[in-house]
Amino acid sequence: MKIGVFDSGVGGLSVLKQIKEKIDFADVIYYGDSLNSPYGSKSVEEIQKLCLKIAEFLIDNRVNIIVVACNTATAAALETLKERFTSVPIIGVVEPGAAIAIKESKNKKIGVLSTPLTAKSKVYEKAIKKINPKSEVFQKGCELLCPMIEKGWESSEKNLNLLKEYIHQLPEEIDTLVLGCTHYPLIRDDIEILIDKKIVDPAEEVAMQVLFELNKLALRTGFKKEKKEKVKVDYFVSGDIEIFKKVGERFLGEKLSNVYQPLTD
């Protein structure tokens, strides 16, 4: 079995990390579209076009499931992808994040840090209120964080002040903060320094959904799941491979091999 995971760059590695921890019988193809990062400042139409091309690439490489490991891409393109590609399950990150946020929040006042497009789409508010209509959702679009993390975030005073500025624009009464961009878990330590709230990373729940879908597929097809000694991950990076490897290795705590530049039209 093979899992396809894609993001606008390194952010989806936070999802990949959870997948590798929970699924030991499937290999992974990871596509980081760092050449076109950040997605959060693009139009919905641009993002849909990029996502369709990546999904086609993953399906050409015979994946059994696709994980849209990017909140912005989930907001802009998940339904489009599901309509276009019906041969494989396609999972986004927003609904799993919303479900955990509702579960963790005591007062149902939930903050979301995300890219500007994700915030503008109100996708988290819709998903959370679908589960619990009485919830209050406060979203803050952070224009600068994603590109800074993509290039290699440093815990400097300047960067912490910028992060603090974004966080402090959320109401004090929230008791739960959703990391509504898959890049943000890469700087979770710095976020935890600045806010004393329950922090939700949707990645763990996404990995559980992937496991559920693969188990269903195995039952349906008779596929025999066999534990691998080591899950193989092939990385395809549209932008600078060396920067991707540097940031990715620091976050995952392991050397990244099998990193390739995808062939372009």
Side-chain angles (χ1 to χ4, degrees):
M1 277 189 169
K2 203 181 289 184
I3 304 165
V5 180
F6 79 86
D7 176 54
S8 63
V10 297
L13 295 179
S14 61
V15 178
L16 173 67
K17 188 174 186 178
Q18 290 293 331
I19 287 173
K20 287 176 69 181
E21 286 180 11
K22 291 176 172 54
I23 300 170
D24 58 9
F25 57 86
D27 291 327
V28 182
I29 292 182
Y30 182 94
Y31 193 110
D33 193 18
S34 50
L35 182 67
N36 296 297
S37 183
Y39 279 10
S41 58
K42 288 180 165 48
S43 70
V44 169
E45 291 75 19
E46 285 178 292
I47 296 165
Q48 288 176 349
K49 188 175 179 182
L50 291 167
C51 291
L52 286 167
K53 187 174 179 181
I54 294 168
E56 201 167 298
F57 172 86
L58 293 173
I59 287 172
D60 285 347
N61 280 274
R62 301 181 181 279
V63 299
N64 302 99
I65 187 169
I66 292 176
V67 183
V68 186
C70 171
N71 287 269
T72 302
T74 298
L78 182 62
E79 295 310 314
T80 301
L81 291 171
K82 286 181 173 181
E83 287 170 13
R84 177 72 64 87
F85 303 104
T86 56
S87 61
V88 297
I90 302 177
I91 294 175
V93 287
V94 172
E95 287 189 3
I100 300 183
I102 287 291
K103 185 179 175 183
E104 296 290 348
S105 177
K106 298 284 194 296
N107 68 5
K108 300 299 177 270
K109 296 180 190 295
I110 298 164
V112 182
L113 289 180
S114 68
T115 67
L117 189 145
T118 301
K120 187 178 177 183
S121 74
K122 298 188 183 296
V123 65
Y124 267 100
E125 182 176 356
K126 292 169 189 171
I128 288 170
K129 284 183 175 290
K130 187 177 179 182
I131 302 168
N132 185 330
K134 293 182 179 178
S135 298
E136 291 184 74
V137 183
F138 306 91
Q139 298 177 96
K140 176 58 191 170
C142 311
E143 186 175 4
L144 299 176
L145 292 186
C146 183
M148 291 171 74
I149 296 166
E150 193 67 31
K151 291 173 184 173
W153 175 272
E154 299 295 337
S155 298
S156 64
E157 184 180 351
K158 182 182 176 183
N159 287 357
L160 285 171
N161 284 337
L162 173 68
L163 190 53
K164 186 191 295 184
E165 192 178 314
Y166 285 132
I167 289 172
H168 284 186
Q169 290 181 56
L170 292 168
E172 179 58 35
E173 64 263 29
I174 65 168
D175 72 348
T176 303
L177 176 67
V178 180
L179 303 183
C181 171
T182 53
H183 282 72
Y184 298 171
L186 279 67
I187 60 168
R188 179 170 180 153
D189 289 347
D190 286 342
I191 293 171
E192 287 179 338
I193 290 168
L194 298 170
I195 187 166
D196 185 24
K197 310 290 181 183
K198 180 71 180 180
I199 294 178
V200 167
D201 174 4
E204 185 174 352
E205 185 64 22
V206 172
M208 293 304 296
Q209 284 204 13
V210 174
L211 178 59
F212 176 73
E213 289 293 339
L214 290 182
N215 283 335
K216 278 203 308 184
L217 182 62
L219 282 170
R220 193 168 69 245
T221 62
F223 174 81
K224 188 178 178 183
K225 296 186 298 181
E226 293 182 357
K227 182 177 178 179
K228 292 173 175 285
E229 197 169 307
K230 187 176 181 183
V231 169
K232 182 188 177 190
V233 183
D234 287 324
Y235 299 90
F236 291 88
V237 181
S238 62
D240 191 309
I241 285 178
E242 292 309 312
I243 292 176
F244 179 89
K245 285 173 71 173
K246 181 183 174 184
V247 178
E249 286 173 358
R250 189 167 70 178
F251 175 67
L252 294 174
E254 63 183 39
K255 189 169 178 59
L256 298 191
S257 53
N258 304 326
V259 185
Y260 312 100
Q261 200 101 42
L263 294 173
T264 54
D265 296 337

